[in-house]
Amino acid sequence: MMSNDDAMLSVEELVDYCQTQARLLWGRVETLGEETDEMLAEIDEEIADARTQLEEHSTEDRAEPPVPMMADEIGDIEALESELEEKQAIIKAKQARRSAFQDLASAYVDLAEELAANVDDVEESLSRIVSFEHEFDAPAYFEDRQTLLEAAGGSGTNDER
């Protein structure tokens, strides 16, 4: 499994690789969190706008007998409801992705600590990283970066993210 290029690696460099992968994943976790926060703020704003419109409609009706909502007003409310449901589904998906990225980042940190503390052999370290990346389907998490698993020819085409 080890090529001439691998002979130049050290356990410390492989530990650094795991730590770098973890940092990249934590960056993605942060980005997903920011995107989710932005969408939640949009939802809050849209709900506040809808409440204001409903309150205005309700206030207008108090002076006179209640006037039923017009079809276009009902349509607007239904469209808003549909839009909010869609955004909530997107947020839920982003939160699930964020959680998956967090889990993999933590697992890389744990692997780095394990390798640093207990493994002196470069080939064993490399083998453990490749097995780890295969088990966790790590290539699916890195769009612009080749994993050791991919470099070793073990799998991972980055088709699904």
mmCIF file with all atom_site columns, all heavy atoms in Angstrom, residues 18-40:
data_model
loop_
_atom_site.group_PDB
_atom_site.id
_atom_site.type_symbol
_atom_site.label_atom_id
_atom_site.label_alt_id
_atom_site.label_comp_id
_atom_site.label_asym_id
_atom_site.label_entity_id
_atom_site.label_seq_id
_atom_site.pdbx_PDB_ins_code
_atom_site.Cartn_x
_atom_site.Cartn_y
_atom_site.Cartn_z
_atom_site.occupancy
_atom_site.B_iso_or_equiv
_atom_site.pdbx_formal_charge
_atom_site.auth_seq_id
_atom_site.auth_comp_id
_atom_site.auth_asym_id
_atom_site.auth_atom_id
_atom_site.pdbx_PDB_model_num
ATOM 1   N N   . CYS A 1 18 ? -4.895  14.985 9.442  1.00 0.00 ? 18 CYS A N   1
ATOM 2   C CA  . CYS A 1 18 ? -6.183  14.776 10.130 1.00 0.00 ? 18 CYS A CA  1
ATOM 3   C C   . CYS A 1 18 ? -6.665  16.073 10.780 1.00 0.00 ? 18 CYS A C   1
ATOM 4   O O   . CYS A 1 18 ? -7.858  16.408 10.703 1.00 0.00 ? 18 CYS A O   1
ATOM 5   C CB  . CYS A 1 18 ? -6.064  13.675 11.193 1.00 0.00 ? 18 CYS A CB  1
ATOM 6   S SG  . CYS A 1 18 ? -5.832  12.028 10.504 1.00 0.00 ? 18 CYS A SG  1
ATOM 7   N N   . GLN A 1 19 ? -5.769  16.799 11.393 1.00 0.00 ? 19 GLN A N   1
ATOM 8   C CA  . GLN A 1 19 ? -6.138  18.059 12.035 1.00 0.00 ? 19 GLN A CA  1
ATOM 9   C C   . GLN A 1 19 ? -6.578  19.096 11.002 1.00 0.00 ? 19 GLN A C   1
ATOM 10  O O   . GLN A 1 19 ? -7.528  19.856 11.237 1.00 0.00 ? 19 GLN A O   1
ATOM 11  C CB  . GLN A 1 19 ? -4.972  18.585 12.872 1.00 0.00 ? 19 GLN A CB  1
ATOM 12  C CG  . GLN A 1 19 ? -4.671  17.711 14.072 1.00 0.00 ? 19 GLN A CG  1
ATOM 13  C CD  . GLN A 1 19 ? -3.349  18.050 14.745 1.00 0.00 ? 19 GLN A CD  1
ATOM 14  O OE1 . GLN A 1 19 ? -2.448  18.637 14.152 1.00 0.00 ? 19 GLN A OE1 1
ATOM 15  N NE2 . GLN A 1 19 ? -3.230  17.645 16.008 1.00 0.00 ? 19 GLN A NE2 1
ATOM 16  N N   . THR A 1 20 ? -5.915  19.116 9.858  1.00 0.00 ? 20 THR A N   1
ATOM 17  C CA  . THR A 1 20 ? -6.290  20.032 8.780  1.00 0.00 ? 20 THR A CA  1
ATOM 18  C C   . THR A 1 20 ? -7.670  19.683 8.242  1.00 0.00 ? 20 THR A C   1
ATOM 19  O O   . THR A 1 20 ? -8.508  20.582 8.027  1.00 0.00 ? 20 THR A O   1
ATOM 20  C CB  . THR A 1 20 ? -5.250  19.990 7.645  1.00 0.00 ? 20 THR A CB  1
ATOM 21  O OG1 . THR A 1 20 ? -3.985  20.403 8.169  1.00 0.00 ? 20 THR A OG1 1
ATOM 22  C CG2 . THR A 1 20 ? -5.650  20.885 6.485  1.00 0.00 ? 20 THR A CG2 1
ATOM 23  N N   . GLN A 1 21 ? -7.916  18.395 8.036  1.00 0.00 ? 21 GLN A N   1
ATOM 24  C CA  . GLN A 1 21 ? -9.239  17.968 7.573  1.00 0.00 ? 21 GLN A CA  1
ATOM 25  C C   . GLN A 1 21 ? -10.312 18.411 8.566  1.00 0.00 ? 21 GLN A C   1
ATOM 26  O O   . GLN A 1 21 ? -11.367 18.902 8.175  1.00 0.00 ? 21 GLN A O   1
ATOM 27  C CB  . GLN A 1 21 ? -9.292  16.442 7.382  1.00 0.00 ? 21 GLN A CB  1
ATOM 28  C CG  . GLN A 1 21 ? -8.363  15.889 6.303  1.00 0.00 ? 21 GLN A CG  1
ATOM 29  C CD  . GLN A 1 21 ? -8.740  16.314 4.908  1.00 0.00 ? 21 GLN A CD  1
ATOM 30  O OE1 . GLN A 1 21 ? -8.404  17.428 4.483  1.00 0.00 ? 21 GLN A OE1 1
ATOM 31  N NE2 . GLN A 1 21 ? -9.422  15.458 4.189  1.00 0.00 ? 21 GLN A NE2 1
ATOM 32  N N   . ALA A 1 22 ? -10.015 18.248 9.848  1.00 0.00 ? 22 ALA A N   1
ATOM 33  C CA  . ALA A 1 22 ? -10.970 18.652 10.887 1.00 0.00 ? 22 ALA A CA  1
ATOM 34  C C   . ALA A 1 22 ? -11.216 20.160 10.830 1.00 0.00 ? 22 ALA A C   1
ATOM 35  O O   . ALA A 1 22 ? -12.369 20.611 10.915 1.00 0.00 ? 22 ALA A O   1
ATOM 36  C CB  . ALA A 1 22 ? -10.465 18.248 12.269 1.00 0.00 ? 22 ALA A CB  1
ATOM 37  N N   . ARG A 1 23 ? -10.159 20.946 10.670 1.00 0.00 ? 23 ARG A N   1
ATOM 38  C CA  . ARG A 1 23 ? -10.333 22.405 10.591 1.00 0.00 ? 23 ARG A CA  1
ATOM 39  C C   . ARG A 1 23 ? -11.172 22.804 9.383  1.00 0.00 ? 23 ARG A C   1
ATOM 40  O O   . ARG A 1 23 ? -12.026 23.687 9.473  1.00 0.00 ? 23 ARG A O   1
ATOM 41  C CB  . ARG A 1 23 ? -8.973  23.112 10.556 1.00 0.00 ? 23 ARG A CB  1
ATOM 42  C CG  . ARG A 1 23 ? -8.285  23.161 11.916 1.00 0.00 ? 23 ARG A CG  1
ATOM 43  C CD  . ARG A 1 23 ? -7.070  24.080 11.906 1.00 0.00 ? 23 ARG A CD  1
ATOM 44  N NE  . ARG A 1 23 ? -6.031  23.658 10.979 1.00 0.00 ? 23 ARG A NE  1
ATOM 45  C CZ  . ARG A 1 23 ? -5.074  22.782 11.248 1.00 0.00 ? 23 ARG A CZ  1
ATOM 46  N NH1 . ARG A 1 23 ? -5.013  22.212 12.442 1.00 0.00 ? 23 ARG A NH1 1
ATOM 47  N NH2 . ARG A 1 23 ? -4.162  22.477 10.351 1.00 0.00 ? 23 ARG A NH2 1
ATOM 48  N N   . LEU A 1 24 ? -10.936 22.148 8.255  1.00 0.00 ? 24 LEU A N   1
ATOM 49  C CA  . LEU A 1 24 ? -11.733 22.438 7.060  1.00 0.00 ? 24 LEU A CA  1
ATOM 50  C C   . LEU A 1 24 ? -13.205 22.103 7.303  1.00 0.00 ? 24 LEU A C   1
ATOM 51  O O   . LEU A 1 24 ? -14.101 22.863 6.912  1.00 0.00 ? 24 LEU A O   1
ATOM 52  C CB  . LEU A 1 24 ? -11.203 21.643 5.864  1.00 0.00 ? 24 LEU A CB  1
ATOM 53  C CG  . LEU A 1 24 ? -9.839  22.072 5.339  1.00 0.00 ? 24 LEU A CG  1
ATOM 54  C CD1 . LEU A 1 24 ? -9.316  21.057 4.326  1.00 0.00 ? 24 LEU A CD1 1
ATOM 55  C CD2 . LEU A 1 24 ? -9.914  23.458 4.716  1.00 0.00 ? 24 LEU A CD2 1
ATOM 56  N N   . LEU A 1 25 ? -13.445 20.996 7.949  1.00 0.00 ? 25 LEU A N   1
ATOM 57  C CA  . LEU A 1 25 ? -14.825 20.605 8.259  1.00 0.00 ? 25 LEU A CA  1
ATOM 58  C C   . LEU A 1 25 ? -15.459 21.576 9.240  1.00 0.00 ? 25 LEU A C   1
ATOM 59  O O   . LEU A 1 25 ? -16.629 21.939 9.088  1.00 0.00 ? 25 LEU A O   1
ATOM 60  C CB  . LEU A 1 25 ? -14.859 19.177 8.815  1.00 0.00 ? 25 LEU A CB  1
ATOM 61  C CG  . LEU A 1 25 ? -14.517 18.082 7.798  1.00 0.00 ? 25 LEU A CG  1
ATOM 62  C CD1 . LEU A 1 25 ? -14.215 16.769 8.505  1.00 0.00 ? 25 LEU A CD1 1
ATOM 63  C CD2 . LEU A 1 25 ? -15.632 17.917 6.782  1.00 0.00 ? 25 LEU A CD2 1
ATOM 64  N N   . TRP A 1 26 ? -14.700 22.023 10.245 1.00 0.00 ? 26 TRP A N   1
ATOM 65  C CA  . TRP A 1 26 ? -15.246 22.995 11.203 1.00 0.00 ? 26 TRP A CA  1
ATOM 66  C C   . TRP A 1 26 ? -15.581 24.303 10.498 1.00 0.00 ? 26 TRP A C   1
ATOM 67  O O   . TRP A 1 26 ? -16.567 24.969 10.831 1.00 0.00 ? 26 TRP A O   1
ATOM 68  C CB  . TRP A 1 26 ? -14.292 23.240 12.373 1.00 0.00 ? 26 TRP A CB  1
ATOM 69  C CG  . TRP A 1 26 ? -14.281 22.120 13.367 1.00 0.00 ? 26 TRP A CG  1
ATOM 70  C CD1 . TRP A 1 26 ? -13.216 21.344 13.706 1.00 0.00 ? 26 TRP A CD1 1
ATOM 71  C CD2 . TRP A 1 26 ? -15.379 21.647 14.161 1.00 0.00 ? 26 TRP A CD2 1
ATOM 72  N NE1 . TRP A 1 26 ? -13.599 20.412 14.652 1.00 0.00 ? 26 TRP A NE1 1
ATOM 73  C CE2 . TRP A 1 26 ? -14.916 20.578 14.944 1.00 0.00 ? 26 TRP A CE2 1
ATOM 74  C CE3 . TRP A 1 26 ? -16.718 22.012 14.263 1.00 0.00 ? 26 TRP A CE3 1
ATOM 75  C CZ2 . TRP A 1 26 ? -15.739 19.880 15.822 1.00 0.00 ? 26 TRP A CZ2 1
ATOM 76  C CZ3 . TRP A 1 26 ? -17.542 21.311 15.137 1.00 0.00 ? 26 TRP A CZ3 1
ATOM 77  C CH2 . TRP A 1 26 ? -17.045 20.265 15.896 1.00 0.00 ? 26 TRP A CH2 1
ATOM 78  N N   . GLY A 1 27 ? -14.787 24.671 9.503  1.00 0.00 ? 27 GLY A N   1
ATOM 79  C CA  . GLY A 1 27 ? -15.098 25.867 8.711  1.00 0.00 ? 27 GLY A CA  1
ATOM 80  C C   . GLY A 1 27 ? -16.422 25.705 7.980  1.00 0.00 ? 27 GLY A C   1
ATOM 81  O O   . GLY A 1 27 ? -17.230 26.638 7.915  1.00 0.00 ? 27 GLY A O   1
ATOM 82  N N   . ARG A 1 28 ? -16.653 24.525 7.451  1.00 0.00 ? 28 ARG A N   1
ATOM 83  C CA  . ARG A 1 28 ? -17.925 24.255 6.770  1.00 0.00 ? 28 ARG A CA  1
ATOM 84  C C   . ARG A 1 28 ? -19.081 24.258 7.773  1.00 0.00 ? 28 ARG A C   1
ATOM 85  O O   . ARG A 1 28 ? -20.171 24.743 7.465  1.00 0.00 ? 28 ARG A O   1
ATOM 86  C CB  . ARG A 1 28 ? -17.835 22.912 6.038  1.00 0.00 ? 28 ARG A CB  1
ATOM 87  C CG  . ARG A 1 28 ? -19.016 22.641 5.163  1.00 0.00 ? 28 ARG A CG  1
ATOM 88  C CD  . ARG A 1 28 ? -19.046 23.584 3.955  1.00 0.00 ? 28 ARG A CD  1
ATOM 89  N NE  . ARG A 1 28 ? -20.183 23.207 3.121  1.00 0.00 ? 28 ARG A NE  1
ATOM 90  C CZ  . ARG A 1 28 ? -21.147 24.029 2.779  1.00 0.00 ? 28 ARG A CZ  1
ATOM 91  N NH1 . ARG A 1 28 ? -21.116 25.286 3.148  1.00 0.00 ? 28 ARG A NH1 1
ATOM 92  N NH2 . ARG A 1 28 ? -22.150 23.613 2.060  1.00 0.00 ? 28 ARG A NH2 1
ATOM 93  N N   . VAL A 1 29 ? -18.842 23.739 8.970  1.00 0.00 ? 29 VAL A N   1
ATOM 94  C CA  . VAL A 1 29 ? -19.858 23.768 10.026 1.00 0.00 ? 29 VAL A CA  1
ATOM 95  C C   . VAL A 1 29 ? -20.247 25.215 10.319 1.00 0.00 ? 29 VAL A C   1
ATOM 96  O O   . VAL A 1 29 ? -21.431 25.553 10.426 1.00 0.00 ? 29 VAL A O   1
ATOM 97  C CB  . VAL A 1 29 ? -19.345 23.071 11.311 1.00 0.00 ? 29 VAL A CB  1
ATOM 98  C CG1 . VAL A 1 29 ? -20.225 23.384 12.515 1.00 0.00 ? 29 VAL A CG1 1
ATOM 99  C CG2 . VAL A 1 29 ? -19.239 21.572 11.107 1.00 0.00 ? 29 VAL A CG2 1
ATOM 100 N N   . GLU A 1 30 ? -19.250 26.070 10.425 1.00 0.00 ? 30 GLU A N   1
ATOM 101 C CA  . GLU A 1 30 ? -19.493 27.488 10.700 1.00 0.00 ? 30 GLU A CA  1
ATOM 102 C C   . GLU A 1 30 ? -20.287 28.140 9.568  1.00 0.00 ? 30 GLU A C   1
ATOM 103 O O   . GLU A 1 30 ? -21.249 28.876 9.812  1.00 0.00 ? 30 GLU A O   1
ATOM 104 C CB  . GLU A 1 30 ? -18.165 28.214 10.893 1.00 0.00 ? 30 GLU A CB  1
ATOM 105 C CG  . GLU A 1 30 ? -18.310 29.645 11.340 1.00 0.00 ? 30 GLU A CG  1
ATOM 106 C CD  . GLU A 1 30 ? -16.968 30.290 11.633 1.00 0.00 ? 30 GLU A CD  1
ATOM 107 O OE1 . GLU A 1 30 ? -16.142 29.672 12.323 1.00 0.00 ? 30 GLU A OE1 1
ATOM 108 O OE2 . GLU A 1 30 ? -16.774 31.427 11.163 1.00 0.00 ? 30 GLU A OE2 1
ATOM 109 N N   . THR A 1 31 ? -19.913 27.842 8.335  1.00 0.00 ? 31 THR A N   1
ATOM 110 C CA  . THR A 1 31 ? -20.619 28.399 7.184  1.00 0.00 ? 31 THR A CA  1
ATOM 111 C C   . THR A 1 31 ? -22.072 27.939 7.156  1.00 0.00 ? 31 THR A C   1
ATOM 112 O O   . THR A 1 31 ? -22.984 28.750 6.938  1.00 0.00 ? 31 THR A O   1
ATOM 113 C CB  . THR A 1 31 ? -19.917 27.987 5.870  1.00 0.00 ? 31 THR A CB  1
ATOM 114 O OG1 . THR A 1 31 ? -18.575 28.489 5.889  1.00 0.00 ? 31 THR A OG1 1
ATOM 115 C CG2 . THR A 1 31 ? -20.645 28.523 4.653  1.00 0.00 ? 31 THR A CG2 1
ATOM 116 N N   . LEU A 1 32 ? -22.291 26.654 7.381  1.00 0.00 ? 32 LEU A N   1
ATOM 117 C CA  . LEU A 1 32 ? -23.665 26.142 7.413  1.00 0.00 ? 32 LEU A CA  1
ATOM 118 C C   . LEU A 1 32 ? -24.471 26.786 8.543  1.00 0.00 ? 32 LEU A C   1
ATOM 119 O O   . LEU A 1 32 ? -25.653 27.072 8.379  1.00 0.00 ? 32 LEU A O   1
ATOM 120 C CB  . LEU A 1 32 ? -23.668 24.618 7.549  1.00 0.00 ? 32 LEU A CB  1
ATOM 121 C CG  . LEU A 1 32 ? -23.271 23.842 6.290  1.00 0.00 ? 32 LEU A CG  1
ATOM 122 C CD1 . LEU A 1 32 ? -22.994 22.374 6.624  1.00 0.00 ? 32 LEU A CD1 1
ATOM 123 C CD2 . LEU A 1 32 ? -24.340 23.960 5.219  1.00 0.00 ? 32 LEU A CD2 1
ATOM 124 N N   . GLY A 1 33 ? -23.826 27.019 9.670  1.00 0.00 ? 33 GLY A N   1
ATOM 125 C CA  . GLY A 1 33 ? -24.493 27.693 10.783 1.00 0.00 ? 33 GLY A CA  1
ATOM 126 C C   . GLY A 1 33 ? -24.898 29.110 10.422 1.00 0.00 ? 33 GLY A C   1
ATOM 127 O O   . GLY A 1 33 ? -26.013 29.552 10.733 1.00 0.00 ? 33 GLY A O   1
ATOM 128 N N   . GLU A 1 34 ? -24.005 29.827 9.740  1.00 0.00 ? 34 GLU A N   1
ATOM 129 C CA  . GLU A 1 34 ? -24.315 31.197 9.320  1.00 0.00 ? 34 GLU A CA  1
ATOM 130 C C   . GLU A 1 34 ? -25.452 31.215 8.308  1.00 0.00 ? 34 GLU A C   1
ATOM 131 O O   . GLU A 1 34 ? -26.354 32.058 8.394  1.00 0.00 ? 34 GLU A O   1
ATOM 132 C CB  . GLU A 1 34 ? -23.062 31.857 8.726  1.00 0.00 ? 34 GLU A CB  1
ATOM 133 C CG  . GLU A 1 34 ? -21.988 32.148 9.756  1.00 0.00 ? 34 GLU A CG  1
ATOM 134 C CD  . GLU A 1 34 ? -20.649 32.536 9.141  1.00 0.00 ? 34 GLU A CD  1
ATOM 135 O OE1 . GLU A 1 34 ? -20.534 32.552 7.887  1.00 0.00 ? 34 GLU A OE1 1
ATOM 136 O OE2 . GLU A 1 34 ? -19.716 32.793 9.917  1.00 0.00 ? 34 GLU A OE2 1
ATOM 137 N N   . GLU A 1 35 ? -25.417 30.276 7.354  1.00 0.00 ? 35 GLU A N   1
ATOM 138 C CA  . GLU A 1 35 ? -26.486 30.201 6.360  1.00 0.00 ? 35 GLU A CA  1
ATOM 139 C C   . GLU A 1 35 ? -27.823 29.904 7.031  1.00 0.00 ? 35 GLU A C   1
ATOM 140 O O   . GLU A 1 35 ? -28.852 30.494 6.673  1.00 0.00 ? 35 GLU A O   1
ATOM 141 C CB  . GLU A 1 35 ? -26.168 29.115 5.329  1.00 0.00 ? 35 GLU A CB  1
ATOM 142 C CG  . GLU A 1 35 ? -25.006 29.445 4.420  1.00 0.00 ? 35 GLU A CG  1
ATOM 143 C CD  . GLU A 1 35 ? -24.565 28.272 3.557  1.00 0.00 ? 35 GLU A CD  1
ATOM 144 O OE1 . GLU A 1 35 ? -25.177 27.175 3.635  1.00 0.00 ? 35 GLU A OE1 1
ATOM 145 O OE2 . GLU A 1 35 ? -23.607 28.440 2.786  1.00 0.00 ? 35 GLU A OE2 1
ATOM 146 N N   . THR A 1 36 ? -27.810 29.010 7.994  1.00 0.00 ? 36 THR A N   1
ATOM 147 C CA  . THR A 1 36 ? -29.030 28.662 8.719  1.00 0.00 ? 36 THR A CA  1
ATOM 148 C C   . THR A 1 36 ? -29.538 29.859 9.507  1.00 0.00 ? 36 THR A C   1
ATOM 149 O O   . THR A 1 36 ? -30.745 30.156 9.493  1.00 0.00 ? 36 THR A O   1
ATOM 150 C CB  . THR A 1 36 ? -28.776 27.462 9.661  1.00 0.00 ? 36 THR A CB  1
ATOM 151 O OG1 . THR A 1 36 ? -28.337 26.347 8.875  1.00 0.00 ? 36 THR A OG1 1
ATOM 152 C CG2 . THR A 1 36 ? -30.013 27.080 10.435 1.00 0.00 ? 36 THR A CG2 1
ATOM 153 N N   . ASP A 1 37 ? -28.640 30.555 10.183 1.00 0.00 ? 37 ASP A N   1
ATOM 154 C CA  . ASP A 1 37 ? -29.032 31.751 10.946 1.00 0.00 ? 37 ASP A CA  1
ATOM 155 C C   . ASP A 1 37 ? -29.659 32.807 10.043 1.00 0.00 ? 37 ASP A C   1
ATOM 156 O O   . ASP A 1 37 ? -30.646 33.450 10.413 1.00 0.00 ? 37 ASP A O   1
ATOM 157 C CB  . ASP A 1 37 ? -27.835 32.334 11.695 1.00 0.00 ? 37 ASP A CB  1
ATOM 158 C CG  . ASP A 1 37 ? -27.366 31.459 12.841 1.00 0.00 ? 37 ASP A CG  1
ATOM 159 O OD1 . ASP A 1 37 ? -28.107 30.530 13.246 1.00 0.00 ? 37 ASP A OD1 1
ATOM 160 O OD2 . ASP A 1 37 ? -26.237 31.691 13.334 1.00 0.00 ? 37 ASP A OD2 1
ATOM 161 N N   . GLU A 1 38 ? -29.086 32.997 8.846  1.00 0.00 ? 38 GLU A N   1
ATOM 162 C CA  . GLU A 1 38 ? -29.638 33.968 7.899  1.00 0.00 ? 38 GLU A CA  1
ATOM 163 C C   . GLU A 1 38 ? -31.047 33.575 7.478  1.00 0.00 ? 38 GLU A C   1
ATOM 164 O O   . GLU A 1 38 ? -31.948 34.421 7.412  1.00 0.00 ? 38 GLU A O   1
ATOM 165 C CB  . GLU A 1 38 ? -28.740 34.079 6.661  1.00 0.00 ? 38 GLU A CB  1
ATOM 166 C CG  . GLU A 1 38 ? -27.442 34.815 6.902  1.00 0.00 ? 38 GLU A CG  1
ATOM 167 C CD  . GLU A 1 38 ? -26.511 34.790 5.694  1.00 0.00 ? 38 GLU A CD  1
ATOM 168 O OE1 . GLU A 1 38 ? -26.972 34.467 4.568  1.00 0.00 ? 38 GLU A OE1 1
ATOM 169 O OE2 . GLU A 1 38 ? -25.318 35.082 5.877  1.00 0.00 ? 38 GLU A OE2 1
ATOM 170 N N   . MET A 1 39 ? -31.245 32.299 7.197  1.00 0.00 ? 39 MET A N   1
ATOM 171 C CA  . MET A 1 39 ? -32.574 31.840 6.790  1.00 0.00 ? 39 MET A CA  1
ATOM 172 C C   . MET A 1 39 ? -33.574 31.983 7.934  1.00 0.00 ? 39 MET A C   1
ATOM 173 O O   . MET A 1 39 ? -34.732 32.359 7.708  1.00 0.00 ? 39 MET A O   1
ATOM 174 C CB  . MET A 1 39 ? -32.519 30.397 6.298  1.00 0.00 ? 39 MET A CB  1
ATOM 175 C CG  . MET A 1 39 ? -31.837 30.260 4.945  1.00 0.00 ? 39 MET A CG  1
ATOM 176 S SD  . MET A 1 39 ? -32.022 28.613 4.256  1.00 0.00 ? 39 MET A SD  1
ATOM 177 C CE  . MET A 1 39 ? -33.690 28.734 3.616  1.00 0.00 ? 39 MET A CE  1
ATOM 178 N N   . LEU A 1 40 ? -33.136 31.688 9.154  1.00 0.00 ? 40 LEU A N   1
ATOM 179 C CA  . LEU A 1 40 ? -34.031 31.851 10.302 1.00 0.00 ? 40 LEU A CA  1
ATOM 180 C C   . LEU A 1 40 ? -34.416 33.316 10.490 1.00 0.00 ? 40 LEU A C   1
ATOM 181 O O   . LEU A 1 40 ? -35.571 33.625 10.800 1.00 0.00 ? 40 LEU A O   1
ATOM 182 C CB  . LEU A 1 40 ? -33.377 31.299 11.571 1.00 0.00 ? 40 LEU A CB  1
ATOM 183 C CG  . LEU A 1 40 ? -33.281 29.765 11.655 1.00 0.00 ? 40 LEU A CG  1
ATOM 184 C CD1 . LEU A 1 40 ? -32.388 29.357 12.812 1.00 0.00 ? 40 LEU A CD1 1
ATOM 185 C CD2 . LEU A 1 40 ? -34.666 29.155 11.780 1.00 0.00 ? 40 LEU A CD2 1
#
